[in-house]
Amino acid sequence: MSMKLSTIAIVSVAALFALAGVSANARPLNKVVGTWRMVAAQIDPDGGNLPAYGPKPNGMLVFTEDMHFVEVLSDSTVPRFASSARGNGTDQENRAAMAGAIGFAGTYTVDENGEFSGNKVEVSTFPNWIGSERTRKELTLIVDGDRMTENFQRPEGTRIRITFERVR
């Protein structure tokens, strides 16, 4: 009888270790993970409905499984610089490039349902964003299949809506 109990105990312990290993390696649900391409962008979508990033917005947003993100958005109609050296742009060229693009990266979080819950910017082409943290109050990302809508409110109140499609 004790042989049966010890066998059952060993099998039970082995099963617990196996289950613990599965749950420790299982990734939580994450609806935003992947690569997304910007397909539309509007400033103040409920009011002025002006195109953000020009008539042909160009950009990508990448969310990694290790909870990092990179977002680069640009206006594809910004003219090329006369010089091939990035540091040799004219004042006008530099102003157009800065006004027509943003790039930033950092970490992000999702909630228990796998929905985006916030981010922290660690690097940005706009220095004022470095170190900023955004919650759902300023930034929401809604995933519907292979489409994602980003709603962002700038500190001064301007609202921007960007639509992305999942890259396959």
Side-chain angles (χ1 to χ4, degrees):
M1 183 97 157
S2 68
M3 183 71 145
K4 271 187 170 177
L5 285 176
S6 64
T7 303
I8 291 171
I10 291 170
V11 170
S12 297
V13 169
L16 286 173
F17 278 117
L19 287 174
V22 167
S23 64
N25 292 330
R27 296 234 184 251
L29 182 65
N30 186 337
K31 294 180 181 179
V32 298
V33 72
T35 302
W36 302 82
R37 181 175 304 282
M38 179 170 55
V39 295
Q42 300 169 302
I43 296 176
D44 198 19
D46 298 326
N49 253 349
L50 304 171
Y53 305 105
K56 293 182 181 179
N58 189 22
M60 295 190 87
L61 173 54
V62 177
F63 290 101
T64 65
E65 288 186 14
D66 67 352
M67 308 308 286
H68 288 85
F69 77 94
V70 176
E71 188 167 0
V72 179
L73 309 173
S74 68
D75 178 344
S76 64
T77 64
V78 171
R80 294 174 63 94
F81 285 23
S83 169
S84 292
R86 186 174 60 90
N88 291 339
T90 66
D91 186 49
Q92 184 178 1
E93 290 170 330
N94 287 324
R95 285 177 185 272
M98 184 65 179
I102 185 76
F104 53 104
T107 58
Y108 73 100
T109 57
V110 295
D111 64 16
E112 65 279 356
N113 298 315
E115 296 176 359
F116 177 87
S117 58
N119 70 14
K120 180 174 182 179
V121 177
E122 296 174 4
V123 61
S124 177
T125 58
F126 183 54
N128 296 22
W129 281 9
I130 297 170
S132 64
E133 293 187 38
R134 296 183 178 97
T135 66
R136 287 186 177 131
K137 180 181 176 191
E138 303 88 12
L139 175 64
T140 61
L141 297 174
I142 308 298
V143 176
D144 184 13
D146 285 341
R147 206 161 179 85
M148 179 169 59
T149 304
E150 174 182 314
N151 291 293
F152 175 65
Q153 184 165 338
R154 292 178 179 160
E156 85 286 350
T158 302
R159 292 175 305 136
I160 298 174
R161 177 176 297 143
I162 301 174
T163 305
F164 295 91
E165 287 181 352
R166 189 180 300 274
V167 175
R168 294 266 179 205

